[in-house]
Amino acid sequence: MTSFLKNEDGSASVEFIALALPLFIPLIIFLQQFAAVSAEENFARILAREGARAYVSSSSSQSAEEMMNKVIMAAGRELGLTKEQFGRMAVGLDCSDSPCHSPNGRVQITIHFSANSQFRAVTASAQEYFSPWS
């Protein structure tokens, strides 16, 4: 019986499980949260960029905002955004000139995902310029 207790075979495995494994669990949770926030930041950048492109390429001021919103919603569905993410999303529009759709004008689209219990707030912007000949 005493020889069995003195045998140290497998003790390193037991020590690893008892000591190191609990240290890895918070690291894994952190990496998962970091990946989720990074993905949402990427979604916001893509949506802002596509919305700005749609706004500038529209034919008139009247149709520009409607086209921008349609493109943002379609791109969001294509990216796989959930209803909850769409519910947290806000779209901002800032123009350098009035009316917004004018030659050499700049338009900036901002996509903001508000914070909730699982994610922090995320904001991304993109800007495009109208052609001087538009």
Side-chain angles (χ1 to χ4, degrees):
M1 178 79 173
T2 58
S3 65
F4 177 73
L5 294 175
K6 291 182 181 180
N7 188 357
E8 293 187 16
D9 290 343
S11 64
S13 300
V14 172
E15 289 173 6
F16 175 78
I17 291 171
L19 299 175
L21 199 57
L23 297 175
F24 286 127
I25 292 172
L27 179 65
I28 291 168
I29 292 170
F30 169 77
L31 290 176
Q32 187 273 333
Q33 287 294 325
F34 181 77
V37 170
S38 295
E40 200 158 78
E41 287 175 347
N42 191 41
F43 292 156
R45 278 193 299 272
I46 291 170
L47 294 176
R49 188 172 52 243
E50 293 301 323
R53 287 179 185 155
Y55 195 94
V56 197
S57 64
S58 64
S59 58
S60 68
S61 293
Q62 291 77 22
S63 65
E65 194 165 349
E66 182 181 345
M67 178 61 75
M68 174 196 70
N69 287 324
K70 283 182 180 180
V71 166
I72 289 172
M73 295 304 283
R77 284 190 297 275
E78 188 69 28
L79 290 170
L81 265 64
T82 64
K83 286 183 180 183
E84 187 268 334
Q85 286 173 307
F86 278 119
R88 292 179 29 237
M89 184 175 72
V91 179
L93 171 66
D94 181 43
C95 299
S96 63
D97 297 331
S98 183
C100 194
H101 207 283
S102 57
N104 288 325
R106 178 192 54 84
V107 64
Q108 182 174 357
I109 307 299
T110 303
I111 302 292
H112 176 76
F113 288 101
S114 60
N116 67 7
S117 62
Q118 296 175 338
F119 297 103
R120 66 178 178 88
V122 172
T123 303
S125 296
Q127 64 182 7
E128 289 282 338
Y129 293 89
F130 289 97
S131 168
W133 301 282
S134 63

